[in-house]
Coordinates of all heavy atoms in Angstrom, one line a residue:
L1 N 45.9 -108.1 42.6 CA 46.0 -106.9 41.8 C 45.3 -105.8 42.4 O 44.1 -105.9 42.8 CB 45.3 -107.2 40.5 CG 46.2 -107.2 39.2 CD1 47.5 -107.8 39.3 CD2 45.4 -107.4 38.0
H2 N 46.0 -104.7 42.6 CA 45.4 -103.5 43.1 C 45.2 -102.4 42.0 O 46.0 -102.3 41.2 CB 46.3 -102.9 44.2 CG 46.4 -103.8 45.4 ND1 45.4 -103.9 46.3 CD2 47.4 -104.6 45.8 CE1 45.8 -104.7 47.3 NE2 47.0 -105.2 47.0
S3 N 44.0 -101.8 42.1 CA 43.7 -100.8 41.1 C 43.9 -99.4 41.7 O 43.8 -99.2 42.9 CB 42.2 -100.9 40.7 OG 41.8 -99.9 39.8
Q4 N 44.1 -98.4 40.8 CA 44.3 -97.0 41.3 C 42.9 -96.4 41.5 O 42.9 -95.3 42.0 CB 45.1 -96.3 40.3 CG 44.4 -96.1 38.9 CD 45.3 -95.4 37.9 OE1 46.4 -95.1 38.2 NE2 44.7 -95.1 36.7
F5 N 41.8 -97.0 41.1 CA 40.5 -96.5 41.3 C 39.9 -96.9 42.6 O 40.2 -98.0 43.1 CB 39.6 -96.9 40.1 CG 40.1 -96.5 38.8 CD1 40.7 -97.4 37.9 CD2 40.0 -95.2 38.4 CE1 41.2 -97.0 36.7 CE2 40.5 -94.8 37.2 CZ 41.1 -95.7 36.3
P6 N 39.1 -96.1 43.2 CA 38.5 -96.5 44.5 C 37.5 -97.7 44.3 O 37.0 -97.9 43.2 CB 37.7 -95.2 44.9 CG 37.8 -94.2 43.8 CD 38.7 -94.8 42.8
P7 N 37.3 -98.4 45.3 CA 36.4 -99.6 45.1 C 35.0 -99.2 44.8 O 34.5 -98.1 45.2 CB 36.5 -100.3 46.5 CG 37.0 -99.2 47.4 CD 37.8 -98.3 46.6
G8 N 34.4 -100.0 43.9 CA 33.0 -99.7 43.5 C 32.9 -98.9 42.3 O 31.8 -98.8 41.7
L9 N 34.0 -98.3 41.7 CA 33.9 -97.6 40.5 C 34.6 -98.4 39.4 O 35.7 -98.9 39.6 CB 34.6 -96.2 40.6 CG 33.9 -95.2 41.5 CD1 34.8 -94.0 41.7 CD2 32.5 -94.9 41.0
P10 N 34.0 -98.5 38.2 CA 34.7 -99.2 37.1 C 35.9 -98.3 36.6 O 36.0 -97.2 36.9 CB 33.6 -99.3 36.0 CG 32.7 -98.2 36.4 CD 32.7 -98.0 37.8
A11 N 36.8 -99.0 35.9 CA 38.0 -98.3 35.4 C 37.6 -97.2 34.5 O 36.8 -97.3 33.6 CB 38.9 -99.3 34.7
G12 N 38.3 -96.1 34.7 CA 38.0 -94.9 33.8 C 37.0 -94.0 34.4 O 36.7 -92.9 33.8
K13 N 36.3 -94.4 35.5 CA 35.2 -93.5 36.0 C 35.7 -92.9 37.3 O 36.5 -93.4 38.0 CB 34.0 -94.4 36.4 CG 33.4 -95.1 35.2 CD 32.4 -94.1 34.6 CE 31.6 -94.9 33.5 NZ 30.5 -94.2 33.0
T14 N 35.2 -91.7 37.5 CA 35.5 -91.0 38.8 C 34.2 -90.5 39.4 O 33.1 -90.6 38.8 CB 36.4 -89.8 38.5 OG1 35.7 -88.8 37.7 CG2 37.7 -90.1 37.9
R15 N 34.3 -90.1 40.6 CA 33.0 -89.7 41.3 C 32.5 -88.4 40.6 O 31.3 -88.2 40.6 CB 33.3 -89.4 42.8 CG 33.4 -90.7 43.6 CD 33.4 -90.4 45.1 NE 33.3 -91.6 45.8 CZ 34.3 -92.4 46.2 NH1 35.5 -92.0 46.0 NH2 34.1 -93.5 46.9
Q16 N 33.4 -87.5 40.2 CA 32.9 -86.3 39.5 C 32.2 -86.7 38.2 O 31.2 -86.1 37.8 CB 34.1 -85.4 39.1 CG 34.8 -84.8 40.3 CD 36.0 -84.0 39.9 OE1 36.6 -84.2 38.9 NE2 36.5 -83.2 40.8
H17 N 32.7 -87.7 37.5 CA 32.0 -88.1 36.2 C 30.6 -88.6 36.5 O 29.7 -88.4 35.8 CB 32.9 -89.2 35.6 CG 32.3 -89.7 34.3 ND1 32.3 -89.0 33.1 CD2 31.6 -90.9 34.0 CE1 31.7 -89.6 32.2 NE2 31.3 -90.8 32.7
D18 N 30.5 -89.4 37.6 CA 29.2 -90.0 38.0 C 28.2 -88.8 38.3 O 27.0 -88.9 37.9 CB 29.3 -90.9 39.1 CG 30.0 -92.2 38.7 OD1 30.0 -92.5 37.5 OD2 30.4 -92.9 39.6
S19 N 28.6 -87.8 39.0 CA 27.7 -86.7 39.4 C 27.3 -85.9 38.2 O 26.2 -85.4 38.1 CB 28.4 -85.9 40.5 OG 29.5 -85.2 40.0
A20 N 28.2 -85.8 37.2 CA 27.9 -85.1 36.0 C 26.9 -85.8 35.2 O 26.0 -85.2 34.6 CB 29.2 -84.8 35.2
S21 N 27.0 -87.2 35.1 CA 26.0 -87.9 34.3 C 24.7 -87.9 35.0 O 23.6 -87.9 34.3 CB 26.5 -89.4 34.2 OG 26.6 -90.0 35.4
V22 N 24.6 -87.9 36.3 CA 23.3 -87.7 37.0 C 22.7 -86.4 36.7 O 21.5 -86.3 36.5 CB 23.5 -88.0 38.5 CG1 22.3 -87.6 39.3 CG2 23.9 -89.4 38.8
L23 N 23.5 -85.4 36.7 CA 23.0 -84.0 36.4 C 22.5 -83.9 35.0 O 21.4 -83.4 34.7 CB 24.2 -83.0 36.5 CG 23.9 -81.6 36.2 CD1 23.0 -81.0 37.2 CD2 25.1 -80.8 36.0
V24 N 23.1 -84.6 34.0 CA 22.6 -84.6 32.6 C 21.3 -85.3 32.6 O 20.4 -84.9 31.9 CB 23.7 -85.3 31.7 CG1 23.1 -85.5 30.3 CG2 24.9 -84.4 31.5
K25 N 21.2 -86.4 33.2 CA 19.9 -87.2 33.2 C 18.8 -86.5 33.8 O 17.7 -86.6 33.3 CB 20.1 -88.6 33.9 CG 21.0 -89.5 33.1 CD 21.2 -90.8 33.9 CE 22.2 -91.7 33.2 NZ 22.5 -92.9 33.9
R26 N 19.0 -85.8 34.9 CA 17.9 -85.1 35.6 C 17.5 -83.8 35.1 O 16.4 -83.4 35.1 CB 18.3 -85.0 37.1 CG 18.4 -86.3 37.8 CD 18.6 -86.1 39.3 NE 18.7 -87.4 39.9 CZ 19.2 -87.6 41.1 NH1 19.6 -86.6 41.8 NH2 19.3 -88.8 41.6
Q27 N 18.5 -83.0 34.6 CA 18.2 -81.6 34.3 C 18.3 -81.3 32.8 O 17.4 -80.6 32.2 CB 19.2 -80.7 35.0 CG 19.0 -80.7 36.5 CD 19.9 -79.8 37.2 OE1 20.9 -79.2 36.6 NE2 19.8 -79.6 38.5
V28 N 19.3 -81.8 32.1 CA 19.5 -81.4 30.7 C 18.5 -82.1 29.7 O 17.9 -81.5 28.9 CB 20.9 -81.6 30.2 CG1 21.1 -81.3 28.8 CG2 21.8 -80.7 31.1
R29 N 18.4 -83.4 29.9 CA 17.5 -84.2 28.9 C 16.1 -83.7 28.9 O 15.5 -83.6 27.9 CB 17.7 -85.6 29.2 CG 19.0 -86.2 28.7 CD 19.0 -87.7 28.8 NE 20.3 -88.2 28.5 CZ 20.8 -89.3 28.8 NH1 20.1 -90.1 29.6 NH2 22.0 -89.7 28.5
P30 N 15.4 -83.5 30.1 CA 14.0 -83.1 30.0 C 13.9 -81.7 29.4 O 12.9 -81.4 28.7 CB 13.6 -83.0 31.5 CG 14.5 -84.0 32.2 CD 15.8 -83.9 31.4
S31 N 14.9 -80.8 29.6 CA 14.8 -79.5 28.9 C 15.0 -79.6 27.4 O 14.4 -78.8 26.7 CB 15.8 -78.5 29.5 OG 17.1 -79.0 29.2
L32 N 15.7 -80.6 26.9 CA 15.9 -80.8 25.5 C 14.6 -81.3 24.9 O 14.2 -81.0 23.8 CB 17.0 -81.8 25.2 CG 18.4 -81.2 25.4 CD1 19.4 -82.4 25.2 CD2 18.7 -80.1 24.5
A33 N 13.8 -82.1 25.7 CA 12.6 -82.7 25.2 C 11.5 -81.6 25.0 O 10.6 -81.7 24.2 CB 12.1 -83.8 26.1
N34 N 11.6 -80.5 25.8 CA 10.6 -79.5 25.8 C 10.9 -78.4 24.8 O 10.2 -77.4 24.6 CB 10.5 -78.8 27.2 CG 10.0 -79.8 28.2 OD1 9.3 -80.8 27.8 ND2 10.4 -79.6 29.4
M35 N 12.0 -78.5 24.0 CA 12.4 -77.5 23.0 C 11.5 -77.5 21.8 O 11.0 -78.6 21.4 CB 13.8 -77.6 22.6 CG 14.9 -77.3 23.7 SD 16.5 -77.5 23.1 CE 16.6 -76.0 22.1
P36 N 11.2 -76.3 21.3 CA 10.3 -76.3 20.1 C 11.0 -76.9 18.9 O 12.2 -77.0 18.8 CB 10.0 -74.8 19.9 CG 11.1 -74.1 20.5 CD 11.6 -75.0 21.6
D37 N 10.1 -77.3 17.9 CA 10.6 -77.9 16.7 C 11.3 -76.9 15.8 O 10.7 -75.8 15.5 CB 9.5 -78.6 15.9 CG 10.0 -79.3 14.7 OD1 11.2 -79.7 14.7 OD2 9.2 -79.6 13.8
K38 N 12.6 -77.1 15.4 CA 13.3 -76.0 14.7 C 13.1 -76.2 13.2 O 13.7 -75.4 12.4 CB 14.8 -76.1 15.0 CG 15.0 -75.7 16.5 CD 16.5 -75.6 16.7 CE 16.8 -75.1 18.1 NZ 18.2 -75.1 18.4
S39 N 12.5 -77.2 12.7 CA 12.3 -77.4 11.3 C 11.5 -76.4 10.6 O 11.5 -76.2 9.4 CB 11.8 -78.8 11.0 OG 10.5 -79.0 11.5
D40 N 10.7 -75.6 11.4 CA 9.8 -74.6 10.8 C 10.6 -73.3 10.5 O 10.1 -72.4 9.8 CB 8.7 -74.3 11.7 CG 7.8 -75.5 12.0 OD1 7.7 -76.4 11.1 OD2 7.1 -75.5 13.0
N41 N 11.8 -73.2 11.0 CA 12.6 -72.0 10.8 C 13.0 -71.9 9.3 O 13.7 -72.8 8.8 CB 13.8 -72.0 11.7 CG 14.6 -70.8 11.7 OD1 14.4 -69.9 10.9 ND2 15.5 -70.6 12.7
P42 N 12.7 -70.8 8.6 CA 13.1 -70.7 7.2 C 14.6 -70.6 7.0 O 15.1 -70.9 5.9 CB 12.4 -69.4 6.7 CG 12.1 -68.6 8.0 CD 11.9 -69.7 9.1
M43 N 15.3 -70.2 8.0 CA 16.8 -70.1 7.8 C 17.5 -71.5 7.8 O 18.6 -71.6 7.5 CB 17.4 -69.2 9.0 CG 17.0 -67.8 8.9 SD 17.4 -67.0 7.4 CE 19.2 -66.8 7.6
R44 N 16.8 -72.5 8.2 CA 17.3 -73.9 8.2 C 17.1 -74.6 6.9 O 17.7 -75.6 6.7 CB 16.7 -74.7 9.3 CG 17.1 -74.2 10.7 CD 16.4 -75.0 11.8 NE 16.9 -76.4 11.8 CZ 18.0 -76.8 12.5 NH1 18.6 -75.9 13.3 NH2 18.3 -78.0 12.5
Q45 N 16.4 -74.0 6.0 CA 16.1 -74.6 4.7 C 17.3 -74.4 3.8 O 17.9 -73.3 3.8 CB 14.9 -74.0 4.0 CG 13.6 -74.4 4.8 CD 12.4 -73.7 4.2 OE1 12.5 -73.0 3.2 NE2 11.3 -73.9 4.8
I46 N 17.7 -75.4 3.0 CA 18.9 -75.3 2.1 C 18.4 -74.7 0.7 O 17.5 -75.3 0.2 CB 19.5 -76.6 1.9 CG1 20.0 -77.1 3.3 CG2 20.7 -76.6 0.9 CD1 20.6 -78.5 3.3
K47 N 19.0 -73.7 0.3 CA 18.7 -73.1 -1.0 C 20.0 -73.0 -1.8 O 21.0 -72.6 -1.3 CB 18.1 -71.7 -0.9 CG 16.7 -71.7 -0.3 CD 16.1 -70.3 -0.4 CE 16.3 -69.6 0.9 NZ 15.7 -68.3 1.0
V48 N 19.9 -73.2 -3.1 CA 21.0 -73.0 -4.0 C 20.6 -71.8 -4.9 O 19.7 -71.8 -5.6 CB 21.2 -74.2 -4.9 CG1 22.4 -73.9 -5.9 CG2 21.5 -75.4 -4.1
E49 N 21.4 -70.7 -4.7 CA 21.1 -69.5 -5.4 C 21.9 -69.4 -6.7 O 21.5 -68.8 -7.7 CB 21.4 -68.3 -4.5 CG 20.5 -68.1 -3.4 CD 20.7 -66.8 -2.7 OE1 21.5 -66.0 -3.1 OE2 20.1 -66.6 -1.6
K50 N 23.1 -70.0 -6.7 CA 24.0 -69.8 -7.8 C 24.8 -71.1 -8.0 O 25.3 -71.6 -7.1 CB 24.9 -68.6 -7.6 CG 25.8 -68.3 -8.8 CD 26.6 -67.0 -8.5 CE 27.5 -66.7 -9.7 NZ 28.2 -65.4 -9.4
L51 N 25.0 -71.5 -9.3 CA 25.8 -72.7 -9.6 C 26.8 -72.2 -10.7 O 26.4 -71.7 -11.7 CB 24.9 -73.8 -10.1 CG 25.6 -75.1 -10.5 CD1 26.3 -75.7 -9.3 CD2 24.7 -76.0 -11.1
T52 N 28.1 -72.5 -10.4 CA 29.1 -72.1 -11.4 C 29.7 -73.3 -12.0 O 30.2 -74.2 -11.2 CB 30.2 -71.2 -10.7 OG1 29.5 -70.1 -10.1 CG2 31.2 -70.7 -11.7
L53 N 29.7 -73.4 -13.3 CA 30.4 -74.5 -14.0 C 31.6 -74.0 -14.6 O 31.6 -72.9 -15.2 CB 29.5 -75.1 -15.0 CG 28.2 -75.7 -14.5 CD1 27.3 -76.2 -15.7 CD2 28.4 -76.9 -13.6
N54 N 32.7 -74.8 -14.6 CA 34.0 -74.4 -15.1 C 34.6 -75.5 -15.9 O 34.6 -76.6 -15.3 CB 34.9 -73.9 -14.0 CG 36.2 -73.4 -14.5 OD1 36.4 -73.0 -15.7 ND2 37.2 -73.4 -13.6
I55 N 35.1 -75.3 -17.1 CA 35.9 -76.3 -17.8 C 37.2 -75.6 -18.2 O 37.2 -74.6 -18.9 CB 35.2 -76.7 -19.1 CG1 33.9 -77.4 -18.7 CG2 36.1 -77.7 -19.9 CD1 33.1 -77.9 -19.9
S56 N 38.3 -76.1 -17.6 CA 39.6 -75.6 -18.0 C 40.2 -76.5 -19.1 O 40.5 -77.6 -18.9 CB 40.5 -75.7 -16.7 OG 40.0 -74.9 -15.7
V57 N 40.2 -75.9 -20.3 CA 40.6 -76.7 -21.5 C 42.1 -76.7 -21.6 O 42.7 -77.7 -21.9 CB 39.9 -76.1 -22.7 CG1 40.4 -76.9 -24.0 CG2 38.4 -76.2 -22.6
G58 N 42.8 -75.6 -21.3 CA 44.2 -75.5 -21.3 C 44.8 -75.1 -22.6 O 46.0 -74.8 -22.7
E59 N 44.0 -75.0 -23.7 CA 44.4 -74.5 -25.0 C 43.2 -74.0 -25.8 O 42.1 -74.3 -25.5 CB 45.1 -75.6 -25.7 CG 44.3 -76.8 -26.0 CD 45.0 -77.9 -26.6 OE1 46.0 -78.4 -26.0 OE2 44.6 -78.4 -27.7
S60 N 43.5 -73.2 -26.8 CA 42.4 -72.6 -27.6 C 42.3 -73.5 -28.8 O 43.0 -74.5 -29.0 CB 42.8 -71.2 -28.0 OG 44.0 -71.2 -28.8
G61 N 41.3 -73.2 -29.6 CA 41.1 -73.9 -30.8 C 39.9 -74.9 -30.7 O 38.9 -74.5 -30.1
D62 N 40.1 -76.0 -31.3 CA 39.0 -77.0 -31.4 C 38.5 -77.5 -30.0 O 37.3 -77.6 -29.8 CB 39.4 -78.2 -32.2 CG 38.2 -79.1 -32.5 OD1 37.1 -78.6 -32.9 OD2 38.4 -80.4 -32.4
R63 N 39.4 -77.7 -29.1 CA 39.0 -78.2 -27.7 C 38.2 -77.2 -27.0 O 37.3 -77.5 -26.3 CB 40.3 -78.6 -26.9 CG 40.9 -79.8 -27.4 CD 42.1 -80.2 -26.5 NE 41.6 -80.6 -25.2 CZ 42.4 -80.8 -24.1 NH1 43.7 -80.6 -24.2 NH2 41.8 -81.1 -23.0
L64 N 38.5 -75.9 -27.2 CA 37.8 -74.8 -26.5 C 36.4 -74.7 -27.1 O 35.4 -74.5 -26.3 CB 38.5 -73.5 -26.7 CG 38.0 -72.3 -26.0 CD1 38.0 -72.5 -24.5 CD2 38.7 -71.0 -26.3
T65 N 36.2 -74.8 -28.4 CA 34.9 -74.7 -29.0 C 34.0 -75.9 -28.6 O 32.8 -75.8 -28.3 CB 34.9 -74.6 -30.5 OG1 35.7 -75.7 -31.0 CG2 35.6 -73.3 -30.9
R66 N 34.6 -77.1 -28.5 CA 33.9 -78.3 -28.0 C 33.4 -78.2 -26.6 O 32.3 -78.5 -26.2 CB 34.7 -79.6 -28.2 CG 34.7 -80.1 -29.7 CD 35.3 -81.4 -29.8 NE 36.8 -81.3 -29.8 CZ 37.6 -82.2 -29.4 NH1 37.2 -83.3 -28.9 NH2 38.9 -82.0 -29.3
A67 N 34.3 -77.6 -25.8 CA 34.0 -77.5 -24.3 C 32.9 -76.4 -24.2 O 32.0 -76.6 -23.4 CB 35.2 -77.0 -23.6
S68 N 32.9 -75.4 -25.0 CA 31.8 -74.4 -24.9 C 30.5 -74.9 -25.4 O 29.4 -74.6 -24.8 CB 32.2 -73.1 -25.8 OG 32.2 -73.5 -27.1
K69 N 30.5 -75.9 -26.4 CA 29.3 -76.5 -26.8 C 28.7 -77.4 -25.7 O 27.5 -77.5 -25.5 CB 29.5 -77.3 -28.1 CG 29.7 -76.5 -29.3 CD 29.9 -77.3 -30.5 CE 30.2 -76.4 -31.7 NZ 30.6 -77.2 -32.9
V70 N 29.6 -78.1 -25.0 CA 29.1 -79.0 -23.9 C 28.5 -78.1 -22.8 O 27.4 -78.5 -22.3 CB 30.3 -79.8 -23.3 CG1 30.0 -80.4 -22.0 CG2 30.8 -80.8 -24.3
L71 N 29.1 -77.0 -22.4 CA 28.5 -76.1 -21.4 C 27.2 -75.5 -21.9 O 26.3 -75.4 -21.1 CB 29.5 -75.0 -21.1 CG 30.6 -75.3 -20.1 CD1 31.5 -74.1 -19.9 CD2 30.1 -75.7 -18.8
E72 N 27.1 -75.2 -23.1 CA 25.9 -74.6 -23.6 C 24.8 -75.7 -23.6 O 23.6 -75.3 -23.3 CB 26.1 -74.1 -25.1 CG 25.0 -73.2 -25.6 CD 25.4 -72.6 -26.9 OE1 26.6 -72.6 -27.2 OE2 24.5 -72.0 -27.5
Q73 N 25.1 -76.9 -23.9 CA 24.1 -78.0 -23.9 C 23.6 -78.3 -22.4 O 22.4 -78.5 -22.2 CB 24.6 -79.3 -24.5 CG 24.7 -79.2 -26.0 CD 25.4 -80.4 -26.6 OE1 25.9 -81.2 -25.8 NE2 25.5 -80.4 -27.9
L74 N 24.6 -78.2 -21.5 CA 24.2 -78.5 -20.1 C 23.3 -77.4 -19.5 O 22.4 -77.7 -18.8 CB 25.5 -78.6 -19.3 CG 26.3 -79.9 -19.4 CD1 27.6 -79.8 -18.6 CD2 25.5 -81.1 -18.9
T75 N 23.7 -76.1 -19.7 CA 23.1 -75.0 -19.0 C 22.0 -74.3 -19.9 O 21.3 -73.5 -19.3 CB 24.1 -74.0 -18.6 OG1 24.8 -73.5 -19.7 CG2 25.1 -74.6 -17.7
E76 N 22.0 -74.5 -21.2 CA 21.1 -73.8 -22.1 C 21.4 -72.3 -22.0 O 20.5 -71.5 -22.1 CB 19.7 -74.1 -21.8 CG 19.4 -75.6 -22.0 CD 17.9 -75.9 -21.7 OE1 17.2 -75.0 -21.2 OE2 17.5 -77.1 -21.9
Q77 N 22.6 -71.9 -21.7 CA 23.1 -70.5 -21.7 C 24.4 -70.4 -22.4 O 25.1 -71.3 -22.7 CB 23.3 -70.0 -20.3 CG 22.0 -70.0 -19.4 CD 22.3 -69.5 -18.0 OE1 23.5 -69.3 -17.6 NE2 21.3 -69.5 -17.2
Q78 N 24.7 -69.1 -22.9 CA 25.9 -68.9 -23.6 C 27.1 -68.8 -22.6 O 27.0 -68.1 -21.6 CB 25.8 -67.5 -24.3 CG 26.9 -67.3 -25.3 CD 26.9 -68.3 -26.5 OE1 25.8 -68.8 -26.9 NE2 28.0 -68.6 -27.0
P79 N 28.1 -69.6 -22.8 CA 29.3 -69.6 -21.8 C 30.1 -68.3 -22.0 O 30.1 -67.7 -23.0 CB 30.1 -70.8 -22.2 CG 29.7 -71.1 -23.6 CD 28.3 -70.7 -23.8
V80 N 30.7 -67.9 -20.9 CA 31.5 -66.7 -20.8 C 33.0 -67.2 -20.9 O 33.4 -68.0 -20.1 CB 31.3 -65.9 -19.5 CG1 32.2 -64.8 -19.4 CG2 29.8 -65.5 -19.5
F81 N 33.8 -66.6 -21.8 CA 35.2 -66.9 -21.9 C 36.0 -65.9 -21.1 O 35.8 -64.7 -21.3 CB 35.6 -66.9 -23.4 CG 34.9 -68.0 -24.2 CD1 33.8 -67.6 -25.0 CD2 35.3 -69.3 -24.1 CE1 33.2 -68.6 -25.7 CE2 34.7 -70.3 -24.9 CZ 33.6 -69.9 -25.7
T82 N 37.0 -66.4 -20.4 CA 37.9 -65.4 -19.7 C 39.3 -65.7 -20.1 O 39.6 -66.9 -20.5 CB 37.8 -65.6 -18.1 OG1 38.1 -67.0 -17.8 CG2 36.4 -65.3 -17.6
K83 N 40.1 -64.6 -20.2 CA 41.5 -64.8 -20.6 C 42.4 -64.4 -19.5 O 42.0 -63.6 -18.6 CB 41.7 -63.9 -21.8 CG 40.9 -64.3 -23.0 CD 41.2 -63.4 -24.2 CE 40.4 -63.9 -25.4 NZ 40.7 -63.1 -26.6
C84 N 43.6 -64.9 -19.5 CA 44.6 -64.6 -18.5 C 45.1 -63.1 -18.7 O 45.4 -62.7 -19.8 CB 45.7 -65.6 -18.6 SG 47.0 -65.4 -17.4
R85 N 45.2 -62.4 -17.6 CA 45.7 -61.0 -17.7 C 47.2 -60.9 -17.7 O 47.8 -60.0 -18.3 CB 45.2 -60.2 -16.5 CG 43.7 -59.9 -16.7 CD 43.2 -59.1 -15.5 NE 43.0 -60.0 -14.4 CZ 43.1 -59.7 -13.1 NH1 43.5 -58.5 -12.8 NH2 42.9 -60.5 -12.2
L86 N 47.9 -61.9 -17.0 CA 49.3 -61.8 -16.9 C 49.9 -63.2 -17.3 O 49.3 -64.2 -17.3 CB 49.7 -61.6 -15.4 CG 49.2 -60.3 -14.8 CD1 49.5 -60.3 -13.3 CD2 49.8 -59.1 -15.4
T87 N 51.2 -63.1 -17.7 CA 52.0 -64.3 -18.0 C 52.6 -64.8 -16.7 O 53.3 -64.0 -16.0 CB 53.1 -64.1 -19.0 OG1 52.4 -63.7 -20.2 CG2 53.9 -65.3 -19.3
I88 N 52.3 -66.0 -16.3 CA 52.9 -66.6 -15.1 C 53.6 -67.9 -15.5 O 53.0 -68.9 -15.8 CB 51.8 -66.9 -14.0 CG1 51.0 -65.7 -13.7 CG2 52.5 -67.5 -12.7 CD1 49.8 -65.9 -12.8
R89 N 55.0 -67.8 -15.6 CA 55.8 -68.9 -16.1 C 55.7 -70.1 -15.2 O 55.7 -71.2 -15.7 CB 57.2 -68.4 -16.2 CG 57.4 -67.4 -17.3 CD 58.9 -67.0 -17.4 NE 59.7 -68.1 -17.8 CZ 60.1 -68.4 -19.0 NH1 59.8 -67.5 -20.0 NH2 60.9 -69.4 -19.3
S90 N 55.6 -69.9 -13.9 CA 55.6 -71.1 -13.0 C 54.3 -71.9 -13.2 O 54.3 -73.1 -12.9 CB 55.8 -70.6 -11.6 OG 54.7 -69.8 -11.2
F91 N 53.2 -71.3 -13.6 CA 52.0 -72.0 -13.8 C 51.9 -72.5 -15.3 O 51.0 -73.2 -15.6 CB 50.8 -71.1 -13.5 CG 50.6 -70.8 -12.1 CD1 49.9 -69.7 -11.7 CD2 51.1 -71.6 -11.1 CE1 49.7 -69.4 -10.4 CE2 51.0 -71.3 -9.7 CZ 50.2 -70.2 -9.4
G92 N 52.8 -72.0 -16.1 CA 52.7 -72.3 -17.5 C 51.6 -71.6 -18.2 O 51.0 -72.1 -19.2
V93 N 51.2 -70.4 -17.8 CA 50.1 -69.6 -18.3 C 50.7 -68.4 -19.0 O 51.5 -67.7 -18.5 CB 49.2 -69.2 -17.2 CG1 48.0 -68.3 -17.7 CG2 48.6 -70.4 -16.5
R94 N 50.1 -68.1 -20.2 CA 50.6 -66.9 -21.0 C 49.4 -65.9 -21.0 O 48.2 -66.3 -20.9 CB 51.0 -67.3 -22.4 CG 52.3 -68.1 -22.4 CD 52.8 -68.3 -23.8 NE 51.7 -68.9 -24.6 CZ 52.0 -69.8 -25.6 NH1 53.2 -70.1 -25.9 NH2 51.0 -70.3 -26.3
R95 N 49.7 -64.7 -21.3 CA 48.7 -63.6 -21.4 C 47.8 -63.9 -22.6 O 48.2 -64.3 -23.6 CB 49.4 -62.3 -21.5 CG 48.5 -61.1 -21.5 CD 49.3 -59.8 -21.4 NE 48.5 -58.7 -21.2 CZ 48.1 -57.9 -22.2 NH1 48.6 -58.0 -23.4 NH2 47.3 -56.9 -21.9
N96 N 46.5 -63.6 -22.4 CA 45.5 -63.8 -23.4 C 45.3 -65.3 -23.7 O 44.8 -65.7 -24.7 CB 45.6 -62.9 -24.6 CG 45.4 -61.5 -24.2 OD1 44.7 -61.2 -23.3 ND2 46.1 -60.6 -24.9

């Protein structure tokens, strides 16, 4: 059986690949070890500034009032009701 790779190299490896891995081992890795710790940077901290809760009831009446009570119990704030401005038949939504 003859291989298309030169003798001494495993399948899938080339001489260029070997020289690149040597370069990484000798130059890039030591420079990564000398980098400062980035955890002190305040821009890396995760902050939640705003949380939006939404309940789409789909109809008015009793279900809407129950959903508003659930939101009020969760957030301890008064929920805001929004109404549809336009009738869109394809979505099944009517004005107000």
